[in-house]
Amino acid sequence: MFRRTFTLGSAALCASLYAGLAAAQDMRAPTGPIEFTVGSGAGGSPDVIMRTFAQILSEQGLVENPIVVQNRSGAGHSNAYNHVLGLSGDENTLLTLASPVFTTPIVQGTPSVIDQITPIALLAESELIVLTTPDSAFNSLQDVVAAATEAPGRVRVAGGSSGGNDHILTGLLETATGTTITYIPHESGSAGRATFLGGNVELHFATLSEALELVQSGSGKPLAIFSAERRPEEVFANVATAQEQGVDVVYTQFWGVGGPANLDPAVAAWWAEKFKAATETAQFQTWLGENLYRANPLTLADAGAYFAEGQQTFRDVLTQIGLAK
Amino acid sequence: MLDQLFIGFATALEPNNLLFIFLGVLIGQIVGALPGLGPSAGMALLLPLTFGLEPVTAVMMLAGIMYGAQYGGTLTSVLIAVPGEASGVMTAVDGNAMARKGRAGAALSISAIGSFIAGIGSVMAVALLAPPLASFGLKFNAPEYFLLALLGILAIGSLGGSPLKSLGAALIGLMIALIGVDPLTGTPRLSFDQPTLMKGIDFIPVVIGVFGIAEVLASLERIESVQPIRTRLRDMWLTKADWMKCRFSIVRGGAIGLFVGIMPGAGASIASLLAYLTERKFSSTPEDFGKGAIDGVAAAEAANNAASHGAAIPMLSLGIPGSASTAILLAALILHGIRPGPQLMMQESVLVWGLIASMFVGNLFLLILNLPLAPVFAALLRIPYVYLAPAILGVSLVGAYAATLDITTVWMSLFFGVLGYLMIKFDVPRPPLVLALVLASLMEMSLRQALLLSFGSPMIFVERPISLILLTAVIAALLLPVFAAVRRRRDALRAGVGTGR
């Protein structure tokens, strides 16, 4: 399977560029039921996001075709993306793009997925916050940097999974500050959170909606947010950005969607239009607000460029922390 | 607290909610009975259908699938020795042995009763003690999980039969678990660049092969002589003696299940294994274990249902799922616009208490559903084996495919079927292989996490109080057989001296 998809790589790249040009072109709806392939298990963030979109697309009457969210979980999303990579030109399957789709090929030394698939849309972004335990002596990101400088490796992060967003962010933090931090991977983000709540480590990275609960209940103390600006919400208004604290790291987690290689540009353009329309609904905006996510509605070639840039960041950091093969 | 529980019951007993609780447990019963399709798969399939419902109704129904599957899983374990989930392995051994003796009805009944009592007990713990139990559960982390898994692996050696063969089978299980991707670094290992192997070997094709398919292969040799299991209606029901033997097994199994269930990192499979092994220590007839011990079945089934309810404790009071099923319950909350976390019990008290109350109701439904039907299902075994065998094979292969939607899983389950057949032929016990496969990933991950936490120092296992207690138990498990052997030899020598020979 790998050999076959590899030779398709260059053709797919052309196809994806072509899809960008086709944006102004005619659009064509696929016929029959649609599968949203998700590489996480049910309940993971990519799964929740795709189910939300499936719900909005159907309920708002944007897409008439029945949509099934199919979890092909396991093996760092490779069960899911290999399934979609094997369906060149298929019009009834879309792949959910979450960080493992980018990082697993880099870590396993297999051909990039992003270079092969047809980019359709960027769906949502999430800012990340770093928390420490409530009784910790750390009161700012600077305290963390000072501790990690004094005793390299002594500051520990309870993380989601190896090569995951929080691992990448840990790597960026290490590079920006010249420190060494111990990242401890878990089976899932919530398993990492259990380790953090049990007081076993110093740090934990969380999305805003996860952090909100921890901060409000007093089980986590926020130290910094890794976005360009502070969040307006009352809970987070006092949380300084990493940049404000002299650490030049801006990092956003994101989720997107793509089609198989060689997807008809007219179908890709149709999907791009539908996803864009979905992000403009009040239903989506409410959901976005509830989850404290951000919208950044890029489609087709623009989304492709965004994904390519994301892939480069992943590759740089994974190479630096020694995980890239 | 009681007022809240009453409000919860008022919510759960609304006709509309009652209907959906019933639907949930019924679906759970069915998906649990199909090997390969566990509760989490069933819940994921039905998640989109809950969008039109009130959040509390949706969660009640999905939770019903979660614990309903624990009742349903017993069915295939007992009748055809194919456990639908890792937590059913012990039931597949002893429950099926009972079925072969014509006591399938009793095995199913005691499972339903045991699950019910343990389920109700656990829900009471959820209602009364969730926050303190959740913070207690957080005291368990990597070092404790490692020792718990190690204790399980060591105990596997004593499951019965030759300890050497058992440990050998466990070793094979551990080795199979290493294939795939290194859980800490994400790099492939032992995969020989084969995409199929890179995914790792899932529990489902192994258990379906080693239990279901191997059993069919072995019986093909003697298909002429296999008689349908003769059951008299009298043997279908539970006797008073059965109940007297099992009542404390259920209490002990339920307590162990709840205890393991509240730990966010350990699941129903460890719970049922530990409960089974504990029960053998307490049993008046330990020699029956592995050959159809009803108290073993009762303890294991009570434990896995208690654990599945216990997992609601970290979920409701911390927002941390303790199992794949609770992860989907949390997802359902998020999809309905409710943010799970430490404040859930306060902010969404109607939902939380409605859910807790619905578990009482749902368990009652399941008991009513399962008790009268136990003899009916047991009667399926009266079908001659020539007709039953292809059906078992069909269910097994479909189950293997349904678990992953990947045809390679089917080939894999056939491969493990042949391996299981050879194990039967060479009289190597099969449960150790499957249990080791389940425990291996927890054991590996938690050992490496523990050493990362301690910056490489093994002292972490001694410095943490709970870890120290477990370590003592591990050392005792290793040394006791040695002491026992020494004492036996000394006694034998003395006896020899005493008789003057």
Side-chain angles (χ1 to χ4, degrees), chain A residues 283-301:
Chain A
Q283 196 178 356
F284 179 77
Q285 293 300 330
T286 312
W287 178 82
L288 212 59
E290 278 166 358
N291 288 280
L292 305 169
Y293 289 152
R294 254 182 1 200
N296 184 4
L298 302 174
T299 56
L300 302 173

Side-chain angles (χ1 to χ4, degrees), chain B residues 44-61:
Chain B
L45 279 174
L46 287 169
L47 196 49
L49 297 182
T50 66
F51 286 159
L53 303 176
E54 285 291 308
V56 63
T57 314
V59 175
M60 284 173 176
M61 182 178 103

Side-chain angles (χ1 to χ4, degrees), chain A residues 1-2 42-44 47-49 51-52 55 59 70-72 74-75 78-79 82 107-108 110 153-156 160 162 167 182-187 190-191 193-198 200-202 209-210 212-214 216-217 219 287 289-292 323 325, chain B residues 40 44-45 47-48 51-52 138-143 181-188 193-195 198-200 264 318-321 324 327-328 331 334-344 347 404-406 441-442 445-446 448-449 452-455 464:
Chain A
M1 179 175 277
F2 281 98
D47 176 72
V48 171
I49 288 172
R51 285 181 195 275
T52 305
Q55 188 187 2
E59 282 182 8
Q70 186 71 58
N71 302 99
R72 297 179 186 271
S78 68
N79 288 345
N82 282 330
V107 171
Q108 299 191 346
T110 51
R154 286 280 149 169
V155 175
R156 296 163 294 188
S162 186
H167 199 178
T182 299
Y183 178 87
I184 305 175
H186 285 75
E187 298 80 349
S190 44
R193 194 145 58 251
T195 297
F196 170 73
L197 289 176
N200 299 293
V201 297
E202 288 77 25
S209 78
E210 291 161 351
L212 182 70
E213 276 293 309
L214 298 177
Q216 280 182 340
S217 64
S219 32
W287 178 82
E290 278 166 358
N291 288 280
L292 305 169
L323 281 179
K325 194 175 176 185
Chain B
S40 49
L45 279 174
L47 196 49
F51 286 159
L138 281 182
K139 292 202 193 310
F140 286 78
N141 204 266
V181 165
D182 182 317
L184 256 82
T185 63
T187 44
D193 284 335
Q194 297 295 314
M198 220 183 266
K199 289 175 197 167
L318 299 169
I320 291 173
I328 299 177
I334 296 171
L335 284 169
H336 281 98
I338 293 164
R339 191 179 299 107
Q343 304 179 100
L344 186 72
Q347 289 177 350
T404 55
L405 303 176
D406 182 354
S441 58
L442 177 68
M445 192 83 177
S446 53
R448 294 171 68 180
Q449 283 168 345
L452 277 172
L453 281 174
S454 69
F455 311 107
R464 297 165 63 106

Side-chain angles (χ1 to χ4, degrees), chain A residues 141-307:
Chain A
L141 194 55
Q142 274 313 322
D143 292 348
V144 176
V145 173
T149 311
E150 197 177 321
R154 286 280 149 169
V155 175
R156 296 163 294 188
V157 175
S161 63
S162 186
N165 280 294
D166 51 1
H167 199 178
I168 301 289
L169 188 46
T170 307
L172 288 171
L173 208 54
E174 286 178 320
T175 315
T177 58
T179 52
T180 311
I181 296 168
T182 299
Y183 178 87
I184 305 175
H186 285 75
E187 298 80 349
S188 65
S190 44
R193 194 145 58 251
T195 297
F196 170 73
L197 289 176
N200 299 293
V201 297
E202 288 77 25
L203 301 182
H204 181 62
F205 293 100
T207 62
L208 293 182
S209 78
E210 291 161 351
L212 182 70
E213 276 293 309
L214 298 177
V215 173
Q216 280 182 340
S217 64
S219 32
K221 183 162 72 174
L223 296 178
I225 183 165
F226 294 91
S227 51
E229 284 161 27
R230 293 189 185 199
R231 283 291 296 204
E233 291 82 8
E234 203 190 323
V235 197
F236 297 121
N238 290 327
V239 182
T241 66
Q243 282 180 325
E244 282 177 55
Q245 304 185 54
V247 178
D248 191 17
V249 176
V250 173
Y251 183 81
T252 343
Q253 187 172 351
F254 63 88
W255 298 274
V257 65
N262 300 319
L263 179 65
D264 183 343
V267 175
W270 184 84
W271 273 120
E273 182 75 13
K274 296 299 173 191
F275 276 105
K276 195 165 190 325
T279 56
E280 283 158 6
T281 58
Q283 196 178 356
F284 179 77
Q285 293 300 330
T286 312
W287 178 82
L288 212 59
E290 278 166 358
N291 288 280
L292 305 169
Y293 289 152
R294 254 182 1 200
N296 184 4
L298 302 174
T299 56
L300 302 173
D302 296 336
Y306 182 98
F307 297 148

Side-chain angles (χ1 to χ4, degrees), chain A residues 53-71:
Chain A
F53 269 97
Q55 188 187 2
I56 295 174
L57 289 169
S58 302
E59 282 182 8
Q60 303 285 336
L62 293 166
V63 174
E64 309 254 302
N65 313 47
I67 301 173
V68 177
V69 176
Q70 186 71 58
N71 302 99

Side-chain angles (χ1 to χ4, degrees), chain B residues 102-399:
Chain B
R103 305 225 55 215
L108 291 174
S109 307
I110 198 70
S111 301
I113 296 171
S115 295
F116 175 75
I117 295 173
I120 293 295
S122 307
V123 183
M124 296 220 289
V126 177
L128 300 173
L129 293 168
L133 281 181
S135 44
F136 177 68
L138 281 182
K139 292 202 193 310
F140 286 78
N141 204 266
E144 289 78 21
Y145 291 145
F146 169 69
L147 292 169
L148 210 56
L150 185 61
L151 205 58
I153 298 266
L154 289 175
I156 287 172
S158 63
L159 270 181
S162 146
L164 209 60
K165 281 180 175 176
S166 296
L167 283 178
L171 213 57
I172 297 176
L174 289 179
M175 289 195 294
I176 293 171
L178 292 180
I179 298 173
V181 165
D182 182 317
L184 256 82
T185 63
T187 44
R189 65 182 181 196
L190 300 174
S191 63
F192 305 99
D193 284 335
Q194 297 295 314
T196 311
L197 290 180
M198 220 183 266
K199 289 175 197 167
I201 295 183
D202 192 33
F203 159 79
I204 300 276
V206 177
V207 76
I208 286 177
V210 166
F211 280 97
I213 297 173
E215 206 68 62
V216 172
L217 290 179
S219 58
L220 283 181
E221 293 174 348
R222 45 193 164 83
I223 196 97
E224 299 295 320
S225 61
V226 179
Q227 296 294 319
I229 296 166
R230 287 177 196 285
T231 42
R232 289 168 303 171
L233 201 61
R234 183 145 48 91
D235 293 336
M236 297 277 198
W237 300 101
L238 212 54
T239 63
K240 186 156 186 241
D242 289 336
W243 168 245
M244 297 306 276
K245 196 173 167 105
C246 290
R247 46 192 185 146
F248 291 115
S249 318
I250 291 171
V251 175
R252 282 187 290 265
I256 292 172
L258 177 66
F259 178 69
V260 176
I262 59 172
M263 304 176 195
S269 46
I270 295 188
S272 67
L273 175 65
L274 288 182
Y276 179 88
L277 293 165
T278 311
E279 205 45 43
R280 204 176 51 166
K281 296 263 179 263
F282 280 98
S283 176
S284 55
T285 50
E287 67 280 2
D288 278 354
F289 275 64
K291 303 186 198 97
I294 190 166
D295 41 352
V297 174
E301 285 299 313
N304 66 32
N305 200 35
S308 121
H309 287 81
I313 290 178
M315 180 199 115
L316 293 176
S317 41
L318 299 169
I320 291 173
S323 62
S325 315
T326 38
I328 299 177
L329 273 185
L330 284 182
L333 292 181
I334 296 171
L335 284 169
H336 281 98
I338 293 164
R339 191 179 299 107
Q343 304 179 100
L344 186 72
M345 291 188 93
M346 277 178 291
Q347 289 177 350
E348 297 286 343
S349 69
V350 174
L351 180 131
V352 170
W353 289 96
L355 175 64
I356 292 171
S358 81
M359 289 177 169
F360 283 105
V361 180
N363 273 289
L364 193 63
F365 277 147
L366 283 161
L367 184 70
I368 298 170
L369 203 62
N370 277 279
L371 265 191
L373 287 181
V376 178
F377 286 124
L380 284 177
L381 292 176
R382 297 179 128 178
I383 300 169
Y385 202 75
V386 244
Y387 302 118
L388 209 53
I392 295 175
L393 206 58
V395 167
S396 299
L397 293 179
V398 170

Side-chain angles (χ1 to χ4, degrees), chain A residues 95-157:
Chain A
L95 176 67
T96 313
L97 305 177
S99 63
V101 177
F102 296 74
T103 55
T104 304
I106 299 174
V107 171
Q108 299 191 346
T110 51
S112 154
V113 177
I114 296 308
D115 295 351
Q116 298 177 65
I117 54 121
T118 310
I120 289 176
L122 178 66
L123 299 179
E125 293 180 323
S126 175
E127 292 141 318
L128 292 162
I129 273 191
V130 64
L131 302 154
T132 190
T133 44
D135 49 359
S136 164
F138 296 154
N139 286 309
S140 69
L141 194 55
Q142 274 313 322
D143 292 348
V144 176
V145 173
T149 311
E150 197 177 321
R154 286 280 149 169
V155 175
R156 296 163 294 188
V157 175

